[in-house]
């Protein structure tokens, strides 16, 4: 495993190493603000500087995206491997699943990958702190950002890393070293080594050429075959002589080193393995502090060891953290002939706020000109050059500089202060409150509205589009913008006249106008677009320019279409439901007559009541039946089919008719329920129902009854009511082999028998047993005839389930009639 020496930041007046080209920013370079059209207030820069800055900005945006994707790739690949292991699938399927999960969670793939990898090695974020989640408008960056609170320590991280890296490379030991403020290293975590092998290695002073110190000092990844590693002292060398070391960084800041150990020479790692090892080092960074205090007086660090990382613990950093306003610590970037061409943003303080809303870690390590091209073109860079060259500080100078907020260029008032600190420059600024609020509003409005702006100079033919407008038209940024007058040729044929009227209204009638139409892209796809255009007139009233905005309203249009279709389907469904409810109600009314047939021949007087559900959509399958049989006996039935609507009503009709046909056989109630259960199971549309079936023999005054999951009948005799015993029996249609028990009782003259459905007593706030006891007490206080008794029970019902209610009451006469 090899690495390359990083390019050091040259000091003023010193020859530049390597190439004569200007220094380029590191991998953390942001994409600056997204570029937009001109039209802002004039600044103090040279003519054409704004156009040049906008072009540079567009190129840097693409470069930042590519860098971000490249930087995040190791963590994504590591997360893909973890998913492949957990799901037992090929890496390609795991990568696809990772993308699907990120889309469902509405996060970037790199963010989700950092979460998965952090969880695997025992590292996580505090609540509310995403794993390196960038700002909404900023590109994602490499690896997870440090959480506000880690859930583990370096020792736990070392153990978790050993578990993963052991499977990956066969390593048997892991050491996690934390950087100290004096340039030394402290052992923060060790795994895979005997305690005696690491007990004497708690601190490595600066200048000791062990693998971890070499990796931290040079920023290189050192492999087991390099001479510096093979002969350098290190903990546990006897047990595992082969070592590799990687620097641990976060936001371009050195935090320590990760050291791996093997007892035998390991195989040369592939590119994928290298990237996964770097990702593990990034994960370890989440557990390490910014810098540990040295164990004693810090020795002087040799001049050769002074590099970009050491500056973080100098007086410059202390001064940066002491500034109470947003501040940046800058280092110079020299061009040819040692000319200062730019500054690199080394660090920003905790109070820093970016006008474009980007997070601090997307700016650190990047170029000041790339991050703020318009502000530098308006004079910021020249002022900072003068401060660095002369040492004369700027104290509270008020400026109005251009900043690109998303897609728009906005002049912003601010107060700046700058001072040179050794070889660095401290820049602080404070934005005018109104301008800062306006920038935030514009940034949020652009993000939510997805606006694309245009500006067309009719005198010179120059057309400026922002990046969103190219995207909306489906054109690359290098394409020639479409003139406003030629817009009708790029829309759907049905909308051509609408767009012609828009162009005519703006260019001929000189009126601001708007229209919604279907914009046709070169690939044939269409986007519903709203355009607002406004003419610009000179002092003589002559049309000299046009400007306006496009807004993609496709999503809104599709939502309106979906809502219209949903409303139509809902109306159809409501109509169908109403018809089904009316059908079910009519079916019940036709099958359940308000009066039962006369049972005088069986020596019984009967009364029935049926009250449908209060809500028509809850019309159910409750039924009753009272009929004389051919042998002179009387059949009494009450049942309740599960469900509501037409299905329940038709099931009720089928069971009621089946039972009537079976009853003419003269079989007893238990046998009838057995046959009825077989029929319910065998229906084309199987039905489940409860029922109680009773057969009264007038010659012997004997009542036989059976039940299928139904509430028991109530017997009122001599002013005392009691429920009849409940023979065993499950509900109809539930079990093909169900067995039903039958019981018998001799009735006396004047006895009243009540059969009912659960809609009479069922309540959500009490048990059925309590409701049944209350009904028995209520029936026992009755001295009315049958009709008055049923009416009173309906009126006094406290049920709250809005279900149907069926009641049958029969009274035994003194003597049966012929």
């Amino acid at each position: 495993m090899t690495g390359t020496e990083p390019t050091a930041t040259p000091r003023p007046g010193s020859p530049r190493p390597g190439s004569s080209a200007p220094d380029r920013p590191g991998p953390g370079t942001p994409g600056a603000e997204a570029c937009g059209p001109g039209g802002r207030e004039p600044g103090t820069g040279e003519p054409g500087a704004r156009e040049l800055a906008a072009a540079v900005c567009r190129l840097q945006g693409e470069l930042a995206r590519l860098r971000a994707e490249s930087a995040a790739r190791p963590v994504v690949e590591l997360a893909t491997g973890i998913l492949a292991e957990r799901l037992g699938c090929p890496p390609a399927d795991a990568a696809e699943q990772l993308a699907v999960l990120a889309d469902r969670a509405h996060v970037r793939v790199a963010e989700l990958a950092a979460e998965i990898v952090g969880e695997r090695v025992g590292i996580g974020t505090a609540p509310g702190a995403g794993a390196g989640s960038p700002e909404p408008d900023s590109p994602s960056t490499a690896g997870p950002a440090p959480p506000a609170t880690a859930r583990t320590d370096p020792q736990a991280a070392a153990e978790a890393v050993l578990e993963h890296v052991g499977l990956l490379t066969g390593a048997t030991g892991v050491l996690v070293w934390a950087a100290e403020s004096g340039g030394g290293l402290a052992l923060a975590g060790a795994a895979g080594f005997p305690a005696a092998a690491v007990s004497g290695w708690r601190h490595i002073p600066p200048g000791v050429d062990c693998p971890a110190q070499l990796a931290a000092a040079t920023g290189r990844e050192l492999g087991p075959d390099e001479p510096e590693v093979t002969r350098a002292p290190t903990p546990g060398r006897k047990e595992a002589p082969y070592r590799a070391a990687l620097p641990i960084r976060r936001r371009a800041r050195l935090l320590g080193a990760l050291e791996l150990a093997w007892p035998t020479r390991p195989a040369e790692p592939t590119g994928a393995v290298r990237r996964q090892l770097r990702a593990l080092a990034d994960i370890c960074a989440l557990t390490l502090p910014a810098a540990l205090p040295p164990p004693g007086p810090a020795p002087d660090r040799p001049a050769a060891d002074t590099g970009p990382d050491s500056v973080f613990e100098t007086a410059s950093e202390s001064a940066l953290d002491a500034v109470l306003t947003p501040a940046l610590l800058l280092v110079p970037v020299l061009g040819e002939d040692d000319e200062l061409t730019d500054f690199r943003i080394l660090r920003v303080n905790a109070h820093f706020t970016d006008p474009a809303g980007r997070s601090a870690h997307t700016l650190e390590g990047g170029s000041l000109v790339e991050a703020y091209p318009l502000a530098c073109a308006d004079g910021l860079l020249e002022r900072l050059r003068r401060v660095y060259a002369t040492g004369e500080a700027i104290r509270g100078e008020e400026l109005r500089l251009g900043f690109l907020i998303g897609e728009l260029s906005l002049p912003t008032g601010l107060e700046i202060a700058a001072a040179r600190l050794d070889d660095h420059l401290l820049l602080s600024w404070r934005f005018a409150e109104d301008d800062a609020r306006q920038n935030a509003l514009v940034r949020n409005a652009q993000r939510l509205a997805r606006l694309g702006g245009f500006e067309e100079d009719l005198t010179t033919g120059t057309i400026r589009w922002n990046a969103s407008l190219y995207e909306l038209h489906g054109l690359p940024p290098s394409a020639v913008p479409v003139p406003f007058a030629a817009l009708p040729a790029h829309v759907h044929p049905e909308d051509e006249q609408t767009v012609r009227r828009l162009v005519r209204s703006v260019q001929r009638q000189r009126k601001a106008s708007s229209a919604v139409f279907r914009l046709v892209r070169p690939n044939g796809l269409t986007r519903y677009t709203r355009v607002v255009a406004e003419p610009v007139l000179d002092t003589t009233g002559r049309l000299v320019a046009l400007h306006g905005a496009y807004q993609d309203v496709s999503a809104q249009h599709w939502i309106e279409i979906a809502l219209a279709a949903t409303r139509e389907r809902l109306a159809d469904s409501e109509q169908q439901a109403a018809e089904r409810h009316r059908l079910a109600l009519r079916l019940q009314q036709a099958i359940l007559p308000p009066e039962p047939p006369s049972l005088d021949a069986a020596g019984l007087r009967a009364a029935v009541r049926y009250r449908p559900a209060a809500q028509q959509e809850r019309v159910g399958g409750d039924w009753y039946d009272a009929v004389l049989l051919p042998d002179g006996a009387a059949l009494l039935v009450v049942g309740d089919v599960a469900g509501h609507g037409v299905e329940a009503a038709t099931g009720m009709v089928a069971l009621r008719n089946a039972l009537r046909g079976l009853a003419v056989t003269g079989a007893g109630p238990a046998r009838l329920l057995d046959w009825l259960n077989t029929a319910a199971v065998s229906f084309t549309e199987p039905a489940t129902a409860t029922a109680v079936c009773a057969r009264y023999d007038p010659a012997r005054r004997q009542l036989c009854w059976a039940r299928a999951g139904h509430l028991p009948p109530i017997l009122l005799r001599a002013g005392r009511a009691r429920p009849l015993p409940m023979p065993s029996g499950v509900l109809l249609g539930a079990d093909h082999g169900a067995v039903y028990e039958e019981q018998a009782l001799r009735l006396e003259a004047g006895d009243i028998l009540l059969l009912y459905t659960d809609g009479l007593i069922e309540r959500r706030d009490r048990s059925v047993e309590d409701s049944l006891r209350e009904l028995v007490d209520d029936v026992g206080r009755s001295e009315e005839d049958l009709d008055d008794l049923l009416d009173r029970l309906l009126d006094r019902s406290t049920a709250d389930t809005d279900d149907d209610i069926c009641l049958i009451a029969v009274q035994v006469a003194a003597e049966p009639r012929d």
Side-chain angles (χ1 to χ4, degrees), residues 595-684:
E595 296 293 337
S598 175
L599 300 180
D600 292 347
L604 298 175
R605 188 168 65 86
V608 299
R609 292 291 185 274
Y610 171 71
R611 185 171 71 186
Q615 301 177 4
Q616 286 191 359
E617 65 271 12
R618 292 190 59 82
V619 170
D622 290 21
W623 93 89
Y624 63 87
D625 207 355
V627 63
L628 281 172
L629 299 176
D631 60 359
L635 181 69
L636 307 173
V637 183
V638 167
D640 183 3
V641 176
H644 299 87
V646 174
E647 291 79 6
T650 54
M652 173 268 292
V653 172
L655 291 177
R656 180 176 180 271
N657 292 340
L659 185 59
R660 273 197 168 193
L662 295 169
V664 300
T665 63
R671 187 58 173 163
L672 291 177
L673 290 183
D674 186 16
W675 290 338
L676 194 61
N677 177 60
T678 302
V681 173
S682 304
F683 285 162
T684 304

Side-chain angles (χ1 to χ4, degrees), residues 110 140 154 178 265 418 463 490 493 553 558 612 630 664 711 718 803:
S140 60
R265 184 184 303 276
I463 303 174
H490 297 267
V553 295
W558 293 331
V664 300
L711 296 172
D803 204 355

Side-chain angles (χ1 to χ4, degrees), residues 455-465 480-484 542-546:
E455 185 178 72
E456 186 170 342
D457 189 335
L458 299 180
T459 60
T460 63
T462 302
I463 303 174
R464 295 190 180 94
W465 280 6
V480 178
V482 177
F484 184 68
R542 185 170 63 94
L543 180 66
V544 294
L546 302 171

